Amino acid sequence: MELTSFAIMRRRLRQATLLTLCVLAMMMSRPPQALADPDSGATFGADLAFLRQHTPVVVIGEPGGAQLAVAPAWQGRVMTSSAQGESGRSLGWINRKLIVSGAVLAHFNPFGGEDRLWLGPEGGQYSIYFAPGAPFDLEHWFVPKAFDTLGFQPTEQAKDHATFAAAFELMNRAGTHFKVRIQRRVQLLEAEKTWQMLSVTPMRGISLVAFETRNTLTNAGETPWKKASGLLSVWILGMFNPSPEAVIAIPLRSSAQSDPGQGVTTDYFGSIPADRLQVTDKALLLRADGQFRSKVGIGPGRSLAKLGAYDALHHVLTIVQFEQPAGVTDYVNSLWREQTDPFGGDAVNAYNDGPPAPGKPSMGPFYELESSSPAAALAPGESLTHVHRTVHILGSQEQLDRVARTVLGLSLAEIRPGVGKQSAAAH
């Protein structure tokens, strides 16, 4: 009886040893990047290797430091970035499932990327996403192929920047034709210059990656673009990884200092529950967990030309700044409806992904930080340039709190809850 028990124990020990060796072998067979903190998401190196399997990639930056991965075939979009080289956390959202499938979707191909170029308006009588007479719903919404599946031509590359160009034609819902030329420059920013732009004294022991895109829209046709037949705008959207503790924060100009009608819009896709949205006269906070489809917009009168997001789970603060011309109020209106004021649109938008209807899959999940240029009333050959800047800062809570207070005017304690009772004062 004792021999039998001993044999059983020895067999179990041998099985456990074999299992351990198998697990170790599996771990050793993975790329080194995959052995990073399992709670931190993919590393930049892992995402870069993945992207290179499916599309050409332009890498900007130096190994071991701040780096960007840019995809020319996807309109020169910045797919992701890192503050710490290939071993650092990958900071953009990448739709691995869609990319691996090789599928080309009819309505929109959300490949991902933390800085991609679209043009507006999305909705309204001058929309370029809805055909003439089409109803404003997902079934009839189509992203133009020019900035969905068609590539931009690389025109220059250096260690700290790359440029891309494209030319195409569009037609809006009113039947107006546009001949468009785009030039896009992706520039990695030095840390010292970034701290100056943020008006923050540099801090030790902090990791940072910052870049900006300069997006130039040109009327390449022979007729001027006029309000009476619809205008276009440059629209930059950044897609980021959602988190149960991520919150979008948009500081607001006081309603007492802004023009009437240039306010806050929170009903793009229906009302947002009070446990997901907080609006005061000082700021708008929106949960960025990728679990509820919701979109908000800020008119130029309330916009301070900046917004951000704080992920308390991964200790990442993201700041977006953009150039907003003073005194300009004509922005295309992207609400999905016929509009009484088609040029009373937003300078800032933010989006949290989620199922579009019960039982329907979401596009991601992801969340977005967005900015737009003014409406482009351009003569033939005339251009408009929109600059959009993205900064990721990784550090201690104390360090990130200092940056948030200086740049966004909000403490991390104010941002972290992210939800509460909605105030009517800002509407």
Side-chain angles (χ1 to χ4, degrees):
M1 183 70 178
E2 290 180 0
L3 288 174
T4 303
S5 298
F6 178 77
I8 292 172
M9 290 176 61
R10 186 170 59 182
R11 185 167 63 249
R12 288 178 176 174
L13 179 61
R14 186 165 57 246
Q15 290 172 341
T17 302
L18 288 171
L19 178 61
T20 301
L21 289 173
C22 289
V23 171
L24 287 172
M26 290 173 62
M27 292 178 65
M28 294 301 293
S29 67
R30 297 176 187 174
Q33 296 87 351
L35 299 178
D37 177 4
D39 191 40
S40 68
T43 64
F44 180 79
D47 273 349
L48 179 59
F50 168 79
L51 289 169
R52 282 174 165 163
Q53 293 175 354
H54 301 279
T55 188
V57 179
V58 172
V59 178
I60 300 174
E62 298 287 352
Q67 289 185 293
L68 313 176
V70 185
W74 296 328
Q75 304 82 50
R77 73 181 69 185
V78 180
M79 293 300 297
T80 189
S81 64
S82 170
Q84 301 166 322
E86 292 196 4
S87 64
R89 179 178 175 81
S90 186
L91 296 164
W93 179 75
I94 295 174
N95 193 341
R96 285 173 170 254
K97 184 177 180 180
L98 175 61
I99 294 171
V100 166
S101 75
V104 177
L105 307 181
H107 294 270
F108 170 41
N109 289 270
F111 299 120
E114 55 178 301
D115 184 307
R116 78 175 190 274
L117 181 144
W118 274 9
L119 299 181
E122 184 178 15
Q125 50 267 50
Y126 301 129
S127 168
I128 53 174
Y129 296 74
F130 292 92
F136 294 110
D137 55 37
L138 273 175
E139 182 181 353
H140 296 86
W141 173 80
F142 294 91
V143 179
K145 295 184 186 301
F147 38 89
D148 185 37
T149 56
L150 300 184
F152 282 16
Q153 180 67 36
T155 56
E156 182 183 358
Q157 182 180 350
K159 68 176 184 178
D160 65 345
H161 73 272
T163 61
F164 307 88
F168 48 85
E169 297 187 18
L170 298 169
M171 184 181 76
N172 70 14
R173 196 167 185 267
T176 304
H177 290 262
F178 299 89
K179 287 188 176 181
V180 174
R181 188 165 64 247
I182 294 289
Q183 183 175 21
R184 176 169 162 84
R185 179 185 174 97
V186 180
Q187 176 75 54
L188 182 66
L189 301 174
E190 295 180 352
E192 182 178 354
K193 181 178 181 180
T194 302
W195 289 121
Q196 292 175 353
M197 290 176 170
L198 296 175
S199 299
V200 176
T201 303
M203 289 178 277
R204 293 182 178 179
I206 205 166
S207 298
L208 176 150
V209 58
F211 62 92
E212 69 179 22
T213 58
R214 300 186 67 87
N215 306 275
T216 300
L217 168 68
T218 300
N219 178 353
E222 299 177 352
T223 57
W225 297 350
K226 297 182 178 180
K227 292 175 69 174
S229 52
L231 298 176
L232 303 176
S233 68
V234 176
W235 185 8
I236 303 298
L237 308 92
M239 306 173 91
F240 304 99
N241 296 295
S243 162
E245 295 188 39
V247 176
I248 295 166
I250 308 176
L252 301 175
R253 190 183 307 279
S254 168
S255 57
Q257 300 174 340
S258 62
D259 296 329
Q262 300 289 348
V264 177
T265 302
T266 61
D267 61 348
Y268 269 90
F269 302 127
S271 61
I272 305 173
D275 65 344
R276 292 188 158 274
L277 175 72
Q278 178 179 324
V279 185
T280 69
D281 202 49
K282 178 181 179 181
L284 180 150
L285 302 175
L286 179 70
R287 287 181 64 179
D289 58 359
Q291 299 299 310
F292 187 88
R293 185 170 182 254
S294 45
K295 180 178 177 178
V296 298
I298 312 298
R302 300 296 305 277
S303 166
L304 291 171
K306 55 189 174 183
L307 66 160
Y310 173 52
D311 182 351
L313 182 62
H314 300 110
H315 309 290
V316 179
L317 178 65
T318 299
I319 303 291
V320 167
Q321 299 174 319
F322 60 96
E323 292 187 359
Q324 180 179 330
V328 179
T329 58
D330 282 343
Y331 281 72
V332 300
N333 194 331
S334 284
L335 284 167
W336 287 22
R337 65 184 70 148
E338 292 286 336
Q339 300 156 358
T340 57
D341 186 2
F343 299 100
D346 300 320
V348 176
N349 290 102
Y351 173 79
N352 183 47
D353 194 35
K360 298 288 186 180
S362 64
M363 290 187 291
F366 53 85
Y367 74 88
E368 289 183 318
L369 304 177
E370 312 169 11
S371 75
S372 291
S373 75
L378 302 177
E382 191 176 6
S383 301
L384 172 151
T385 297
H386 181 64
V387 179
H388 180 103
R389 185 178 306 119
T390 303
V391 182
H392 297 292
I393 305 171
L394 295 78
S396 69
Q397 184 170 339
E398 180 181 357
Q399 291 170 322
L400 299 184
D401 182 71
R402 178 178 164 190
V403 177
R405 288 174 182 270
T406 302
V407 181
L408 300 176
L410 299 164
S411 68
L412 293 189
E414 291 176 289
I415 298 174
R416 188 166 181 172
V419 293
K421 292 184 179 180
Q422 184 174 341
S423 168
H427 295 273

